[in-house]
Amino acid sequence: MYDRFIKEMIEMSCRVGQMPDYTQGGGGNTSVKFDDKLMAVKASGCKLCDITEKDGFVVVDYAKVRQYYKTVDLTEKRDFYKESSQFVKDNMVKLEGLNEGRPSIEAGFHSLLEKYVIHTHSVYGNLLCCTKEGESIAKELFENSQYRYLWLPYIAPGFYLTLEIQKQIELMGCIPNIIFMGSHGVIITAKTLDEAEKINDYVSQSIRKKLNITELYGDVSVKMESEGVYVSNTPRLIAYLKGKEYTDEWFDSNILYPDQAAYLLGEVTTKNAEKKARIDLSSGITKYYVSYKEALTLEESICAFLFIMDEAKKNNLETYTMKDEDIAFIMGWEGEAYRKAMLNKK
Ligand SMILES: [Zn+2]
């Protein structure tokens, strides 16, 4: 019954999921609304390009999720992060032939938006979202464009981010097509798939033009050296690293957005320490001591991070890092683990 929309969901997800400048590892998510009740949204932990008819997405009663956010009583102190994600889980609808999954933690904001939603951690979008000058550049580029845009300061993914987007939609009196989320990424939404992809492209191209980025991002890949050991195979990344003087502390103290923390924090070394990603700065080559899938995620994540640092520097943009408490929240650190992690960071 929903075949057409599921096909669109797969196509859309594959297109952005294949581009390492838009998504790294399992980051980013997409959704399609079938009607005024049901929505397909990417499953948590899954890669966008791995979505098939059977796997990688879940179906949620988004009308109920909308209703939840509209009526939630904030006066009572509760764990709204947990409650809201449980609510989404409880309102999943089992489609025949679809394997089970958990809805993305970002399913809440998908519920509030137009029929098609593409959310990525695009390196172009994040050049604005992770720099002090980004908000004014976004204004200059998109204020007078044919699309409505919204700029949000950082809010951790989940309940409060969805609540804020709901509030802004009410204030604007419309659903913005482009949402920049500080220290996080970009959401594009439209009534048709063509339009959503067009806007996604338009946003990236506008930023590329403004920041004078002419070179293509290029492929990102790793090759196998031996069982459980993979080697960097991305010319862009090798060039970023070769001859530089980066330290482990530099990698761990320049966390720009949540996925970078989730994938890279504490995992990168230039001193051949016992870590997952070991960089040899004299050759620029990184070796990964993990599975193929994880090696590729690490390669994509390091490349995206260094692209942002490099282009920001070229354009005299000042990057800002996430706050310690926001990183701790993303990493699920509490009490002792938090203190220990922060100690290691310094
Ligand atoms: Zn995100």
Side-chain angles (χ1 to χ4, degrees), residues 28-29 106 109 119-121 157 181 184:
N29 39 63
E106 290 167 327
F109 70 64
H119 161 50
T120 67
H121 305 143
M181 298 184 286
H184 180 168

Side-chain angles (χ1 to χ4, degrees), residues 139-190:
K139 190 172 178 196
E140 182 193 326
L141 291 177
F142 304 108
E143 193 179 35
N144 296 314
S145 78
Q146 56 179 307
Y147 306 113
R148 297 292 299 272
Y149 91 98
L150 170 66
W151 180 276
L152 289 178
Y154 180 76
I155 303 172
F159 180 77
Y160 292 99
L161 176 59
T162 302
L163 210 60
E164 181 62 22
I165 292 176
Q166 173 178 264
K167 185 176 136 198
Q168 293 301 327
I169 290 172
E170 273 166 28
L171 286 172
M172 290 171 84
C174 71
I175 297 172
N177 297 105
I178 308 163
I179 303 174
F180 291 102
M181 298 184 286
S183 305
H184 180 168
V186 185
I187 308 169
I188 305 291
T189 184

Side-chain angles (χ1 to χ4, degrees), residues 14 23 27 40 49 73-74 92 120-121 125 153 172 195 205 212 222 236 281 289 312:
C14 277
T23 60
C49 49
D73 177 11
L74 294 166
M92 278 166 58
T120 67
H121 305 143
M172 290 171 84
E195 189 74 356
Q205 294 309 334
N212 215 2
V222 292
R236 175 182 285 280
L281 289 172
Y289 293 79

